[in-house]
Amino acid sequence: MSSASLNPSSATRPAERRRTIVATTIGNGLEFFDFTVYGFLALTIGKLFFPTFTPYGQLLLTVAGFGVGFIMRPLGGIVIGAYADRAGRKKAMTLTIFLMALGCAVIALTPTYAQIGVAAPVLIVVARLIQGFSAGGEVGASTTLLVEHATPTDRGYMASWQFASQGLGILMGAVVVGGLTVSLSPEAMSSWGWRVPFVIGMLIAPVGMYIRRHLHESLEVLPDAQRTDRPSSLSVVCREHGRTVLAATLTIVGGTVAAYVVAFYMPTYAIRELGMAPPVALLGAALTGLISFGLAPFVGKWSDKVGRKPLIVWSRVALAIVIYPCFLWLINSPTPAVLLTVVGILSVGLVIQTVPGITMLPEMFPKAVRASGMSLVYSVGVALFGGFSPFIGTWLVNATGSKLAPAWYLIVMTLVSLVGLIWLKDHTGRDIDAPGAHNAR
């Protein structure tokens, strides 16, 4: 564990922290744009790559393809998290943006099923696996970097920019896809328009790499970090912090399910189940991104004052209470105004619970294995529950015949996730690098 020591030059330097916020937000926003536009194009991709199935089958397979990207997240979190703990946060974050762009390139250039047959959906799945591997390491490395550039009194604010950047990526993705949907004919959209967001994602990789090269590294890599006989960070995390990993993974479930239902499933749900026009549904997703980007820093500051746990508990209880009436109202009055109101309400609850949640994760682990621990917990939680939420929601509606089924799923996951908080320590305001701060419990 002696291989990682605190680099003191950045934690108290406001200019350095501002530069870190800007660079991380832009880079992470670009990555989430790349990863999420697939979800906004689910209906179009389903028709082009799964044409032999029924419309329901096309949608189910496409949202499953969205979820497939999450299967690789735990592996990406383990591999890239360990790399970040050995080689530094900057190198890991540069690697993730390259991999994400590679996945975008594969999707952008893959011929359709009509052109090459079954090889087409296979290539799409491969691309999503690459993107999932990248995303699995991205969140852990970037959140860890932000937390390590903070002081004990503003870690919530610094970490909040990770979630704000996710909102920025969602906003950009919804705006680009929505703009294409409005400006192009359905034929042009199916022919080539759907590829444009992936081409953009491929081309912006050099921008992200340039920005990240100018970040200040928060991990001082000492010579013994390169020793081959050094225990792997994953083994250390599991052996010394196994209980924390299990509790934190359970805790993250509520936030990640809410995020992927509200931000990514809602547009498909509004179009397919409620008959709304695609631009209206994408406007709802854009609203979620805007609220996440604008509100996250204020929630981060709030969590620095009142603590992480109180915000998570009360926001999840409130969210569980309003989910059912929100879905019921939307089903009975499927108008653009109601959709935007419901999405706005759920998005506020999402931000209030997720920002302190994502701040708690890196606070749980010592610096030498922080990126590995954070990446493992987040990627496993997202892979098992969040990423497949659109798939589960689609399947539940068809299996039960009830348009309220996704609401019940979200309520159950929100309440179950509160159990994990019982075993987690709230480190708000404490020095997370002090001796004994992370003694095994």
Side-chain angles (χ1 to χ4, degrees), residues 31 38 96 104 181 186 316 333 335 346 422:
E31 281 228 35
Y38 180 96
T96 61
C104 268
T181 303
R316 287 188 179 174
S333 302
T335 65
L346 297 181
I422 298 172

Side-chain angles (χ1 to χ4, degrees), residues 15 37 40 45 64 116 120 126 161-162 194 202 205-206 217 225 231 235 246 276 296 339 364 373 376 392 426:
V37 289
F40 296 140
I45 291 174
I116 62 171
V126 169
W161 286 99
Q162 208 290 331
W194 71 273
M202 176 178 61
E217 178 59 66
S235 66
L246 293 175
M276 293 190 181
L339 174 66
M364 297 289 154
L376 178 63
I392 293 172
D426 193 332

Side-chain angles (χ1 to χ4, degrees), residues 92-278:
M93 292 166 66
T94 301
L95 173 62
T96 61
I97 207 165
F98 167 78
L99 291 173
M100 189 64 71
L102 176 61
C104 268
V106 174
I107 297 175
L109 300 175
T110 295
T112 64
Y113 186 95
Q115 295 170 308
I116 62 171
V118 72
V122 170
L123 286 171
I124 293 295
V125 169
V126 169
R128 291 298 294 169
L129 291 174
I130 294 172
Q131 290 187 320
F133 184 88
S134 170
E138 166 65 23
V139 174
S142 61
T143 310
T144 298
L145 184 78
L146 286 164
V147 164
E148 290 174 349
H149 278 78
T151 66
T153 58
D154 66 1
R155 281 197 304 268
Y157 171 72
M158 288 294 289
S160 72
W161 286 99
Q162 208 290 331
F163 190 68
S165 66
Q166 293 186 31
L168 180 62
I170 294 169
L171 176 61
M172 291 190 302
V175 168
V176 170
V177 175
L180 289 167
T181 303
V182 170
S183 60
L184 297 178
S185 66
E187 294 75 20
M189 191 67 183
S190 294
S191 175
W192 58 269
W194 71 273
R195 297 184 187 273
V196 172
F198 299 104
V199 173
I200 293 174
M202 176 178 61
L203 296 178
I204 59 181
V207 177
M209 290 181 185
Y210 173 80
I211 291 170
R212 291 189 166 182
R213 237 189 332 261
H214 290 77
L215 280 171
H216 185 88
E217 178 59 66
S218 63
L219 180 76
E220 182 180 355
V221 182
L222 300 180
D224 71 323
Q226 308 302 323
R227 286 168 37 199
T228 57
D229 62 338
R230 179 173 178 253
S232 71
S233 53
L234 176 63
S235 66
V236 174
V237 167
C238 294
R239 184 176 66 250
E240 299 182 10
H241 307 278
R243 184 176 175 179
T244 297
V245 169
L246 293 175
T249 301
L250 181 59
T251 299
I252 204 67
V253 166
T256 190
V257 169
Y260 286 93
V261 168
V262 174
F264 303 112
Y265 178 62
M266 269 299 192
T268 301
Y269 179 81
I271 295 169
R272 178 174 171 81
E273 306 300 338
L274 305 179
M276 293 190 181

